[in-house]
Amino acid sequence: MATTMTTAPIIERKLVSSRKNWYTSGPAIVLYIAAAKLLLHLLTASRYGYFRDELYFLDCGEHLDFGYVDQPPMIAVVAWFGRHVLGGSLLGIRFLPALAGAAVVWLTGVITREIGGGRFAQGLGAFVVGFAPLYLSLGHLMTMNSFDPLIWMGCAYFVLRIIQTSHQRYWIWFGALAGLGLENKYAIAVFGAGIVIGVLLTEQRRALAHKWIWIGGGLAFLIFLPNLIWNIQHHWPFIELMHNIRASGRDIELGPLEFLKRQVLMMGPLAAPLWLGGVAYLLFSPTAKRFRPLAWAFIVTITLFWVLKGKDYYPGPVYPMMLAAGAVALERLAAGKAWRWIKPAYVVSLGAGAVALLPVVVPVLPVDTYLRYQAKLPFAIPRSEHSHMRDALPQHYADEFGWQEMTLAVARAYQSLPAEERPSVAIFANNFGEAGAIDFFGAQYELPKAIGGHQNYFLWGPRQYTGDPMIVLGDSVEGLRRWCTEVKVAAELDNPYNGMEHDPVLICRGFKPNLQVAWPKLKDWD
């Protein structure tokens, strides 16, 4: 009895000490950073307005299917959940992307620990990923890109577990995540190719002799199969879309130096030594040799996206694993007394840089204040499409403005028509953002749902409309006269922040030929 009474306080003190130690441990620091990032996104989710793509995805969520012209089906399911479960507010639809961004921070800490990182490395990797400009931007908007880093790094984590444990069954989990990634965005196929090449170039090629990697690949294919069948049934619309984009020259093509420059800007200039150091550490350090497949996967992914003329942000999801490796390398470099100063100096500089660039990617400032801030930046914010070159705001902000004002102008045009004519009035939008705005905001004005030839609206068809009369968005009087006998300007649109939406609201009469007959010619996949 005496022994029990003596040892009980000792055990209790150890438990209390263990709990205290956990609060200052690497995993705890990672969770603090993830929570701070999540809070930042929740507090700023409603600062501006609905993003153009978000309005389109919300419409896709009302037409759930196994595929769409320009994306796989997962984002439509996310949009449906945000609208019908979380309420459809800006905070509601952006909650899951914000949560995914916080989860990437946590997963980066886990990956850092797997590579051998201690408390400092885990915190550093998590901080850089949490507040890199690209990941801050992705956490603010509901897009497919918001979920890619989490899915890709989930795949990377299971590769690490295979390396660490030699348990080949982890390839099943890799395959499941890869299949989910293909249902989110096809770009993960490039990362998958990088992983395969990384395996082939290293001792991990022994995985090919086991059944589990093949089972994992088969599982990924089965998960992706519904979307593949949808594409076959619809005659490969995504491939046609990509061909049209290339033919039109819509996107700005980048040379190798400009592409690399933008990678540096997306991750934050001060983070470049970290991810470059991470690549070097995995390639050349004997202690990190077994993790070399990830370095090759990174190099292949970046290279393929440049060769394929992908947009600058396409390889963005691949960086957390190299930032994790770089954090481990820095932690080991700074272990000696001579280099100990570098840890606080680097963290302070990273924090200052993150604060300085924060308004570029998160709407922490009123828009007019932001424009004054932007004018003082020592660099121009890059554009990825030619149509946005003249916009005062970068695209991720510009496309959040003007939609409610546009819908109100359409409602006034609609109400100006004779009451007996309104049931037959079609609202034709030439852009998926315009159509999505009409469908989302128009219910309060009793507007009918929009139709259009852009992206998946073409597949949803003209419904019962003949086109006489018709309210048209995103066109000019001159352009519409070749289709209509009478064209009237019902309202002028001139939002100072959204430079793309400046065409007037038009009323078209005498559409020729009948809209049902002309529909195949109105397809606009670009």
Side-chain angles (χ1 to χ4, degrees):
M1 179 68 69
T3 303
T4 302
M5 293 178 64
T6 304
T7 57
I10 296 174
I11 294 172
E12 185 176 348
R13 284 196 298 271
K14 286 183 177 180
L15 289 174
V16 171
S17 176
S18 176
R19 284 195 292 268
K20 287 182 178 179
N21 290 339
W22 186 88
Y23 288 119
T24 58
S25 67
I29 292 170
V30 169
L31 287 176
Y32 300 149
I33 296 169
K37 177 180 172 64
L38 178 61
L39 182 61
L40 173 65
H41 286 308
L42 297 182
L43 291 175
T44 56
S46 305
R47 166 78 66 169
Y48 293 166
Y50 289 85
F51 186 62
R52 181 190 302 269
D53 295 36
E54 290 174 332
L55 294 167
Y56 173 51
F57 297 146
L58 286 166
D59 251 2
C60 291
E62 300 305 296
H63 300 81
L64 291 176
D65 205 343
F66 287 116
Y68 302 88
V69 169
D70 42 355
Q71 76 260 338
M74 179 175 149
I75 191 63
V77 176
V78 171
W80 181 93
F81 185 87
R83 185 172 192 169
H84 293 283
V85 177
L86 300 180
S89 66
L90 284 166
L91 180 59
I93 68 170
R94 291 173 177 171
F95 175 74
L96 289 181
L99 188 62
V104 172
V105 173
W106 168 78
L107 187 54
T108 302
V110 173
I111 289 173
T112 307
R113 189 168 69 247
E114 286 288 327
I115 296 175
R119 183 175 68 169
F120 172 78
Q122 291 171 45
L124 178 61
F127 180 82
V128 176
V129 169
F131 296 95
L134 176 64
Y135 302 135
L136 284 171
S137 180
L138 296 183
H140 171 63
L141 299 174
M142 180 187 67
T143 72
M144 298 168 289
N145 304 307
S146 303
F147 300 95
D148 265 349
L150 182 59
I151 297 172
W152 291 28
M153 290 305 98
C155 291
Y157 168 74
F158 286 117
V159 171
L160 281 171
R161 294 304 299 154
I162 293 165
I163 293 171
Q164 292 280 51
T165 67
S166 296
H167 292 163
Q168 298 295 321
R169 291 187 181 187
Y170 281 113
W171 284 114
I172 293 180
W173 291 105
F174 178 97
L177 270 181
L180 180 64
L182 286 168
E183 294 286 17
N184 180 58
K185 191 174 179 180
Y186 303 127
I188 195 175
V190 175
F191 177 60
I195 291 290
V196 170
I197 292 173
V199 166
L200 290 173
L201 291 177
T202 63
E203 62 186 15
Q204 293 302 319
R205 70 178 68 91
R206 63 177 178 267
L208 299 174
H210 297 273
K211 64 181 178 180
W212 298 109
I213 192 171
W214 305 104
I215 293 174
L219 180 59
F221 178 78
L222 285 176
I223 294 172
F224 173 58
L225 186 58
N227 181 245
L228 177 63
I229 293 172
W230 184 92
N231 272 279
I232 293 171
Q233 290 175 336
H234 291 80
H235 310 293
W236 302 101
F238 186 78
I239 294 177
E240 181 178 340
L241 170 69
M242 291 295 101
H243 170 77
N244 292 345
I245 289 174
R246 294 285 172 82
S248 68
R250 186 196 74 180
D251 295 343
I252 297 173
E253 292 190 4
L254 305 173
L257 291 179
E258 181 63 23
F259 191 81
L260 179 61
K261 174 184 173 183
R262 294 201 182 188
Q263 302 306 301
V264 171
L265 285 175
M266 287 190 311
M267 292 297 112
L270 293 173
L274 205 61
W275 57 264
L276 288 170
V279 176
Y281 176 65
L282 296 189
L283 286 179
F284 303 113
S285 172
T287 59
K289 179 182 178 181
R290 64 188 185 280
F291 306 124
R292 204 161 290 171
L294 297 185
W296 285 117
F298 177 84
I299 293 169
V300 170
T301 299
I302 299 292
T303 303
L304 282 178
F305 275 122
W306 172 69
V307 170
L308 296 172
K309 307 298 182 184
K311 289 185 178 181
D312 50 12
Y313 60 84
Y314 283 3
V318 80
Y319 281 90
M321 62 189 190
M322 287 305 106
L323 291 167
V328 174
L330 182 61
E331 183 179 61
R332 295 187 175 185
L333 174 67
K337 291 183 179 179
W339 289 92
R340 196 167 294 172
W341 61 270
I342 200 171
K343 293 197 293 187
Y346 191 51
V347 170
V348 169
S349 63
L350 282 171
V355 171
L357 292 176
L358 186 64
V360 175
V361 286
V362 178
V364 294
L365 299 176
V367 63
D368 291 326
T369 305
Y370 169 79
L371 285 170
R372 292 193 293 272
Y373 155 86
Q374 179 181 268
K376 296 179 180 180
L377 289 174
F379 59 89
I381 297 176
R383 306 293 201 260
S384 59
E385 297 180 13
H386 291 287
S387 58
H388 290 276
M389 291 299 292
R390 296 182 181 179
D391 287 357
L393 293 169
Q395 183 180 355
H396 59 272
Y397 285 161
D399 280 355
E400 292 189 57
F401 289 94
W403 304 115
Q404 289 175 284
E405 295 84 349
M406 182 203 73
T407 305
L408 178 58
V410 171
R412 288 172 176 166
Y414 182 77
Q415 294 297 329
S416 72
L417 297 170
E420 64 275 11
E421 204 173 42
R422 291 174 201 162
S424 61
V425 174
I427 301 176
F428 187 96
N430 278 281
N431 178 281
F432 63 46
E434 297 163 348
I438 295 297
D439 288 357
F440 188 74
F441 298 114
Q444 61 187 306
Y445 306 113
E446 298 183 348
L447 291 177
K449 298 291 187 180
I451 61 173
H454 194 218
Q455 312 306 57
N456 228 73
Y457 288 95
F458 174 78
L459 295 184
W460 295 332
R463 300 201 294 278
Q464 78 279 7
Y465 296 115
T466 64
D468 190 17
M470 186 161 58
I471 297 174
V472 180
L473 295 166
D475 211 329
S476 64
V477 174
E478 294 74 19
L480 202 54
R481 277 181 177 152
R482 66 190 180 96
W483 293 99
C484 307
T485 58
E486 177 187 340
V487 181
K488 173 186 174 183
V489 176
E492 297 285 352
L493 299 176
D494 187 21
N495 189 282
Y497 306 123
N498 190 340
M500 280 189 66
E501 298 301 320
H502 55 77
D503 292 311
V505 178
L506 302 172
I507 296 177
C508 159
R509 295 185 182 275
F511 186 85
K512 49 184 181 181
N514 183 291
L515 190 61
Q516 303 289 327
V517 176
W519 195 255
K521 298 179 181 179
L522 300 177
K523 181 167 69 171
D524 181 19
W525 289 353
D526 67 9

